[in-house]
Amino acid sequence: MRVLVLLALLWSGFSFGETSELDEIRAKAEQGNKVAQFTLAWMYANGKGVPEDNVLAYMWINLAGANGADVSKAKEILVQEMSQADISKAQELTRQYIKDNPAVFPE
């Protein structure tokens, strides 16, 4: 249900690719906003406003999950399109991001 609500919000007139909107989403994601993190993951997974990149999509999904978002279904879908090497790379990027930005994540 939450995923459907989020998808509805994403499709409700939001103009992906606009630099200011992308910058705003990225800034919120980097501050630990789980909805923005999930949105950025979706954008990378679908190449909307950013180059398509499943590794970065997986990293942002992981970060949203670390902040309490229910990402299990989205992650399940994404991994179907990824190699094990890409998943490992994304997991390493996630660990490094959390290490570099500890204040953004709850204990």
Side-chain angles (χ1 to χ4, degrees):
M1 176 71 167
R2 290 182 202 168
V3 172
L4 294 176
V5 171
L6 178 59
L7 290 175
L9 290 172
L10 291 173
W11 286 108
S12 64
F14 186 81
S15 176
F16 292 108
E18 297 286 330
T19 303
S20 61
E21 283 124 355
L22 176 58
D23 291 344
E24 183 178 331
I25 291 169
R26 187 176 306 279
K28 287 180 180 180
E30 290 172 351
Q31 293 168 3
N33 181 297
K34 65 186 174 187
V35 174
Q37 290 168 337
F38 190 91
T39 302
L40 201 51
W42 182 88
M43 292 172 72
Y44 275 113
N46 293 285
K48 300 293 184 183
V50 295
E52 188 173 331
D53 187 329
N54 286 339
V55 171
L56 288 176
Y58 191 96
M59 181 195 81
W60 284 109
I61 284 175
N62 274 343
L63 295 172
N67 276 316
D70 180 5
V71 298
S72 57
K73 191 68 170 172
K75 192 184 286 191
E76 181 181 314
I77 293 167
L78 184 59
V79 298
Q80 293 175 7
E81 300 179 22
M82 296 177 71
S83 69
Q84 187 56 50
D86 284 344
I87 293 169
S88 295
K89 183 177 180 181
Q91 290 170 334
E92 179 55 36
L93 286 173
T94 303
R95 283 189 290 274
Q96 189 62 48
Y97 192 92
I98 291 172
K99 181 181 175 186
D100 293 344
N101 301 281
V104 175
F105 299 94
E107 306 248 351

